[in-house]
PDB file of all heavy atoms in Angstrom:
ATOM      1  N   LYS A 191     -76.049 -66.191-151.133  1.00 95.00           N
ATOM      2  CA  LYS A 191     -77.006 -67.238-151.674  1.00 95.00           C
ATOM      3  C   LYS A 191     -76.419 -67.700-153.099  1.00 95.00           C
ATOM      4  O   LYS A 191     -76.478 -68.881-153.396  1.00 95.00           O
ATOM      5  CB  LYS A 191     -78.385 -66.642-151.890  1.00 95.00           C
ATOM      6  CG  LYS A 191     -79.125 -66.325-150.611  1.00 95.00           C
ATOM      7  CD  LYS A 191     -79.503 -67.603-149.966  1.00 95.00           C
ATOM      8  CE  LYS A 191     -80.279 -67.276-148.638  1.00 95.00           C
ATOM      9  NZ  LYS A 191     -80.526 -68.425-147.853  1.00 95.00           N
ATOM     10  N   SER A 192     -75.927 -66.747-153.825  1.00 95.00           N
ATOM     11  CA  SER A 192     -75.379 -67.154-155.151  1.00 95.00           C
ATOM     12  C   SER A 192     -74.175 -68.029-155.057  1.00 95.00           C
ATOM     13  O   SER A 192     -74.002 -68.999-155.866  1.00 95.00           O
ATOM     14  CB  SER A 192     -75.005 -65.873-155.949  1.00 95.00           C
ATOM     15  OG  SER A 192     -76.150 -65.059-156.168  1.00 95.00           O
ATOM     16  N   ASP A 193     -73.326 -67.783-154.115  1.00 93.00           N
ATOM     17  CA  ASP A 193     -72.145 -68.657-153.863  1.00 93.00           C
ATOM     18  C   ASP A 193     -72.523 -69.999-153.519  1.00 93.00           C
ATOM     19  O   ASP A 193     -71.890 -70.984-154.019  1.00 93.00           O
ATOM     20  CB  ASP A 193     -71.210 -68.010-152.800  1.00 93.00           C
ATOM     21  CG  ASP A 193     -70.462 -66.763-153.237  1.00 93.00           C
ATOM     22  OD1 ASP A 193     -70.435 -66.475-154.461  1.00 93.00           O
ATOM     23  OD2 ASP A 193     -69.966 -66.017-152.348  1.00 93.00           O
ATOM     24  N   GLN A 194     -73.521 -70.165-152.682  1.00 93.00           N
ATOM     25  CA  GLN A 194     -73.969 -71.530-152.309  1.00 93.00           C
ATOM     26  C   GLN A 194     -74.567 -72.210-153.544  1.00 93.00           C
ATOM     27  O   GLN A 194     -74.294 -73.427-153.762  1.00 93.00           O
ATOM     28  CB  GLN A 194     -75.057 -71.363-151.226  1.00 93.00           C
ATOM     29  CG  GLN A 194     -74.520 -70.912-149.915  1.00 93.00           C
ATOM     30  CD  GLN A 194     -75.671 -70.696-148.982  1.00 93.00           C
ATOM     31  OE1 GLN A 194     -76.851 -70.899-149.246  1.00 93.00           O
ATOM     32  NE2 GLN A 194     -75.314 -70.162-147.772  1.00 93.00           N
ATOM     33  N   PHE A 195     -75.352 -71.494-154.286  1.00 95.00           N
ATOM     34  CA  PHE A 195     -75.954 -72.058-155.519  1.00 95.00           C
ATOM     35  C   PHE A 195     -74.972 -72.497-156.599  1.00 95.00           C
ATOM     36  O   PHE A 195     -75.113 -73.549-157.236  1.00 95.00           O
ATOM     37  CB  PHE A 195     -77.068 -71.171-156.048  1.00 95.00           C
ATOM     38  CG  PHE A 195     -77.816 -71.723-157.269  1.00 95.00           C
ATOM     39  CD1 PHE A 195     -78.553 -72.897-157.146  1.00 95.00           C
ATOM     40  CD2 PHE A 195     -77.713 -71.143-158.513  1.00 95.00           C
ATOM     41  CE1 PHE A 195     -79.203 -73.397-158.210  1.00 95.00           C
ATOM     42  CE2 PHE A 195     -78.323 -71.625-159.580  1.00 95.00           C
ATOM     43  CZ  PHE A 195     -79.095 -72.779-159.448  1.00 95.00           C
ATOM     44  N   ILE A 196     -73.982 -71.638-156.776  1.00 94.00           N
ATOM     45  CA  ILE A 196     -72.991 -71.895-157.910  1.00 94.00           C
ATOM     46  C   ILE A 196     -72.157 -73.149-157.606  1.00 94.00           C
ATOM     47  O   ILE A 196     -71.775 -73.870-158.399  1.00 94.00           O
ATOM     48  CB  ILE A 196     -72.091 -70.670-158.095  1.00 94.00           C
ATOM     49  CG1 ILE A 196     -72.882 -69.693-158.919  1.00 94.00           C
ATOM     50  CG2 ILE A 196     -70.785 -71.083-158.798  1.00 94.00           C
ATOM     51  CD1 ILE A 196     -72.085 -68.433-159.253  1.00 94.00           C
ATOM     52  N   ASN A 197     -71.991 -73.428-156.224  1.00 92.00           N
ATOM     53  CA  ASN A 197     -71.159 -74.540-155.849  1.00 92.00           C
ATOM     54  C   ASN A 197     -71.932 -75.860-155.847  1.00 92.00           C
ATOM     55  O   ASN A 197     -71.378 -76.853-155.617  1.00 92.00           O
ATOM     56  CB  ASN A 197     -70.619 -74.303-154.424  1.00 92.00           C
ATOM     57  CG  ASN A 197     -69.547 -73.244-154.428  1.00 92.00           C
ATOM     58  OD1 ASN A 197     -68.809 -73.106-155.488  1.00 92.00           O
ATOM     59  ND2 ASN A 197     -69.449 -72.464-153.358  1.00 92.00           N
ATOM     60  N   THR A 198     -73.249 -75.825-156.197  1.00 90.00           N
ATOM     61  CA  THR A 198     -74.032 -76.945-156.321  1.00 90.00           C
ATOM     62  C   THR A 198     -73.693 -77.706-157.635  1.00 90.00           C
ATOM     63  O   THR A 198     -73.506 -77.075-158.657  1.00 90.00           O
ATOM     64  CB  THR A 198     -75.574 -76.631-156.305  1.00 90.00           C
ATOM     65  OG1 THR A 198     -75.848 -75.809-155.165  1.00 90.00           O
ATOM     66  CG2 THR A 198     -76.447 -77.841-156.424  1.00 90.00           C
ATOM     67  N   GLN A 199     -73.618 -79.057-157.538  1.00 91.00           N
ATOM     68  CA  GLN A 199     -73.269 -79.811-158.775  1.00 91.00           C
ATOM     69  C   GLN A 199     -74.408 -79.643-159.789  1.00 91.00           C
ATOM     70  O   GLN A 199     -75.553 -79.896-159.485  1.00 91.00           O
ATOM     71  CB  GLN A 199     -73.154 -81.320-158.398  1.00 91.00           C
ATOM     72  CG  GLN A 199     -72.864 -82.210-159.527  1.00 91.00           C
ATOM     73  CD  GLN A 199     -71.451 -82.051-160.081  1.00 91.00           C
ATOM     74  OE1 GLN A 199     -70.587 -81.571-159.347  1.00 91.00           O
ATOM     75  NE2 GLN A 199     -71.226 -82.357-161.331  1.00 91.00           N
ATOM     76  N   ARG A 200     -74.084 -79.186-161.031  1.00 92.00           N
ATOM     77  CA  ARG A 200     -75.089 -78.784-162.002  1.00 92.00           C
ATOM     78  C   ARG A 200     -75.085 -79.799-163.118  1.00 92.00           C
ATOM     79  O   ARG A 200     -74.057 -80.092-163.795  1.00 92.00           O
ATOM     80  CB  ARG A 200     -74.649 -77.402-162.581  1.00 92.00           C
ATOM     81  CG  ARG A 200     -75.526 -76.910-163.619  1.00 92.00           C
ATOM     82  CD  ARG A 200     -75.102 -75.587-164.248  1.00 92.00           C
ATOM     83  NE  ARG A 200     -73.846 -75.608-164.921  1.00 92.00           N
ATOM     84  CZ  ARG A 200     -72.663 -75.204-164.428  1.00 92.00           C
ATOM     85  NH1 ARG A 200     -72.578 -74.635-163.312  1.00 92.00           N
ATOM     86  NH2 ARG A 200     -71.556 -75.305-165.165  1.00 92.00           N
ATOM     87  N   HIS A 208     -77.193 -71.541-166.027  1.00 96.00           N
ATOM     88  CA  HIS A 208     -75.989 -71.090-165.383  1.00 96.00           C
ATOM     89  C   HIS A 208     -75.432 -69.873-166.078  1.00 96.00           C
ATOM     90  O   HIS A 208     -74.989 -68.882-165.372  1.00 96.00           O
ATOM     91  CB  HIS A 208     -74.955 -72.152-165.368  1.00 96.00           C
ATOM     92  CG  HIS A 208     -73.632 -71.835-164.796  1.00 96.00           C
ATOM     93  ND1 HIS A 208     -73.390 -71.604-163.458  1.00 96.00           N
ATOM     94  CD2 HIS A 208     -72.444 -71.589-165.418  1.00 96.00           C
ATOM     95  CE1 HIS A 208     -72.116 -71.212-163.281  1.00 96.00           C
ATOM     96  NE2 HIS A 208     -71.524 -71.221-164.466  1.00 96.00           N
ATOM     97  N   HIS A 211     -77.498 -66.953-165.172  1.00 96.00           N
ATOM     98  CA  HIS A 211     -77.182 -66.622-163.717  1.00 96.00           C
ATOM     99  C   HIS A 211     -75.927 -65.777-163.602  1.00 96.00           C
ATOM    100  O   HIS A 211     -75.855 -64.787-162.825  1.00 96.00           O
ATOM    101  CB  HIS A 211     -77.122 -67.973-162.947  1.00 96.00           C
ATOM    102  CG  HIS A 211     -76.845 -67.718-161.538  1.00 96.00           C
ATOM    103  ND1 HIS A 211     -75.888 -68.477-160.862  1.00 96.00           N
ATOM    104  CD2 HIS A 211     -77.347 -66.870-160.570  1.00 96.00           C
ATOM    105  CE1 HIS A 211     -75.801 -68.032-159.567  1.00 96.00           C
ATOM    106  NE2 HIS A 211     -76.734 -67.123-159.445  1.00 96.00           N
ATOM    107  N   ILE A 212     -74.925 -66.095-164.337  1.00 96.00           N
ATOM    108  CA  ILE A 212     -73.628 -65.393-164.330  1.00 96.00           C
ATOM    109  C   ILE A 212     -73.818 -63.962-164.792  1.00 96.00           C
ATOM    110  O   ILE A 212     -73.310 -63.005-164.236  1.00 96.00           O
ATOM    111  CB  ILE A 212     -72.575 -66.104-165.150  1.00 96.00           C
ATOM    112  CG1 ILE A 212     -72.192 -67.471-164.600  1.00 96.00           C
ATOM    113  CG2 ILE A 212     -71.291 -65.275-165.344  1.00 96.00           C
ATOM    114  CD1 ILE A 212     -71.620 -67.435-163.221  1.00 96.00           C
ATOM    115  N   LEU A 215     -75.375 -62.035-162.029  1.00 96.00           N
ATOM    116  CA  LEU A 215     -74.415 -61.685-160.948  1.00 96.00           C
ATOM    117  C   LEU A 215     -73.528 -60.520-161.425  1.00 96.00           C
ATOM    118  O   LEU A 215     -73.091 -59.770-160.555  1.00 96.00           O
ATOM    119  CB  LEU A 215     -73.545 -62.930-160.626  1.00 96.00           C
ATOM    120  CG  LEU A 215     -74.290 -64.020-159.856  1.00 96.00           C
ATOM    121  CD1 LEU A 215     -73.409 -65.210-159.618  1.00 96.00           C
ATOM    122  CD2 LEU A 215     -74.887 -63.508-158.569  1.00 96.00           C
TER     123      LEU A 215
END
Side-chain angles (χ1 to χ4, degrees):
K191 293 286 182 190
S192 298
D193 289 343
Q194 292 171 4
F195 180 65
I196 283 180
N197 291 327
T198 305
Q199 181 69 26
R200 179 182 65 254
H208 175 71
H211 180 226
I212 295 299
L215 293 177

